[in-house]
Amino acid sequence: MFYEKYNEKIKCFLCPHNCIIDKGQFGLCSVRTNKDGSLKTINYGEITAIAKDPIEKKPLYHFKPTKNILSVGSFGCNFSCDFCQNHRIAHNKPKSDFLSPDKLIKISLDLKNNVGIAFTYNEPTIWYEYIYDVSKRVKENYPNLSIVLVTNGYMEREPLLRILPYIDAMNIDLKSFNQKYYKKTCGGNLNNVLRTIEKAVKKCHVEITTLLVNGINDSKEEIEEIASYLGRLDKNIPLHLSRYFPAYKMNYPPTEIDVMIRSRKIAQKYLNYVYLGNIANVDNSTYCPQCNKLLIERKGFFSKIYIGDNICPECGYDLQILL
């Protein structure tokens, strides 16, 4: 999907890289290839990782709390993040097993307390055709199953708009608010990710994750830029500030805990819900922004709910939490 012939080559329009691919070659994602003048993907239905997870692990804190979700991933990525925690599947071709869309859906249906399917681990965007087929079948036949994308948000407008009607929730990485960082550290473009966020918040539930890297994107000014931008879209968008640890090509020391706590306080000036990831012994429970009533108590990835619907039982505030 989403390509046109370009002389003897092919131009791909799935993501903003718009790769021009010669015969027998691959795009930057390493999975989309020019085969005899047609664009083909080598990872359709190829599963490298599959697990039943608490949905809080995605992380999604305001979408179906206490439920499990079937998490699946393939291989390949359209980013080249120096700190990639899943580089073994994102930038290699590990062993995989084929699962048809129908088989994957059946596995999801057979699991207890399972709310749906999350496409995660590697970048879902470049698994587009498979995700599109699965998501469309789910919504046409099993509307109670949810579809989740955990994504870097680096997708062209047309593919995004075509798949959004079948997506229930997204956790989108906003890796920085600095274009130089996006280009040098991640191999992408900030503006394209912001466009995805702005389109997605109008169509499905969205939560944002920002990995704070020690001394690079954890300044007070950048946290303020990220939080104020999200707050202008919707103050109820949950922001997950995740602590960096050395991984892949990046060897900076772990982000200081004091910086994480300071960043949370800054973000809370603009957003109602800010959480800290990769840190033990912090309070990540959800409280009403208006009256501070405890709504969802969290310990690690496990939650206990004290509300029966989307309205605070104490003050009537519209919480925008999907139970």
Side-chain angles (χ1 to χ4, degrees), residues 243-285:
R243 188 186 184 203
Y244 153 86
F245 287 90
Y248 195 32
K249 300 177 181 178
M250 189 170 279
N251 295 312
Y252 294 99
T255 308
E256 297 175 8
I257 292 178
D258 287 348
V259 171
M260 298 296 301
I261 294 171
R262 179 199 72 193
S263 298
R264 183 183 198 173
K265 289 179 180 177
I266 293 170
Q268 285 173 331
K269 294 190 296 183
Y270 303 94
L271 295 166
N272 287 331
Y273 306 106
V274 185
Y275 303 103
L276 296 180
N278 290 341
I279 300 179
N281 303 318
V282 295
D283 185 2
N284 269 333
S285 296

Side-chain angles (χ1 to χ4, degrees), residues 60 117-120 124-125 131 135 147-151 155 160 163 167 169-172:
L60 288 173
I117 301 169
F119 295 98
T120 179
T125 298
I131 293 175
S135 303
I147 298 292
V148 169
L149 299 184
V150 182
T151 174
M155 193 184 306
L160 175 66
I163 204 169
I167 304 302
M170 298 173 73
N171 185 295
I172 303 173

